[in-house]
Amino acid sequence: MAEEHKTDAPPDFENIWLRLIHMVIIAVLLSMASTLLGVMTVAQFIIMLFNKREPNENLAEFGTTIGVWMAKAARYQTGASEVKPWPWTELD
């Protein structure tokens, strides 16, 4: 009778290392998104300054999209969600 190979590690133990790789990639993307958001903030302020306080709608919508992405990324990074943000899933 063959002895079964038993281990105390959870069945998804190997996946934790893949998650680490994803987390590092997402951390870099979060840093880039934060920088982009800062640049967009300054650009939107300048636009509003010269456009009678009217924001650029495309820039505002893109800012919303980045914010949603950053929230999804933060949830994945902190373990609150198993759903990875774009580019692994659709961009909202």
Side-chain angles (χ1 to χ4, degrees):
M1 185 169 180
E3 183 177 317
E4 287 184 34
H5 178 62
K6 296 198 179 206
T7 176
D8 293 332
D12 291 335
F13 182 75
E14 299 82 32
N15 293 335
I16 196 74
W17 299 111
L18 183 57
R19 184 182 180 94
L20 175 64
I21 292 168
H22 288 143
M23 290 175 77
V24 169
I25 293 168
I26 292 169
V28 170
L29 292 174
L30 271 167
S31 178
M32 292 169 53
S34 180
T35 300
L36 180 59
L37 185 60
V39 170
M40 289 172 45
T41 299
V42 171
Q44 187 72 293
F45 177 78
I46 292 169
I47 290 168
M48 292 174 69
L49 188 63
F50 292 105
N51 199 25
K52 300 176 187 168
R53 300 187 80 184
E54 288 294 320
N56 178 289
E57 291 298 321
N58 291 330
L59 199 54
E61 183 62 34
F62 188 55
T64 299
T65 300
I66 288 178
V68 169
W69 181 87
M70 290 176 86
K72 278 184 166 181
R75 288 180 48 77
Y76 183 79
Q77 294 291 76
T78 60
S81 173
E82 293 300 314
V83 177
K84 291 182 282 301
W86 178 89
W88 293 276
T89 57
E90 289 294 316
L91 187 61
D92 291 337

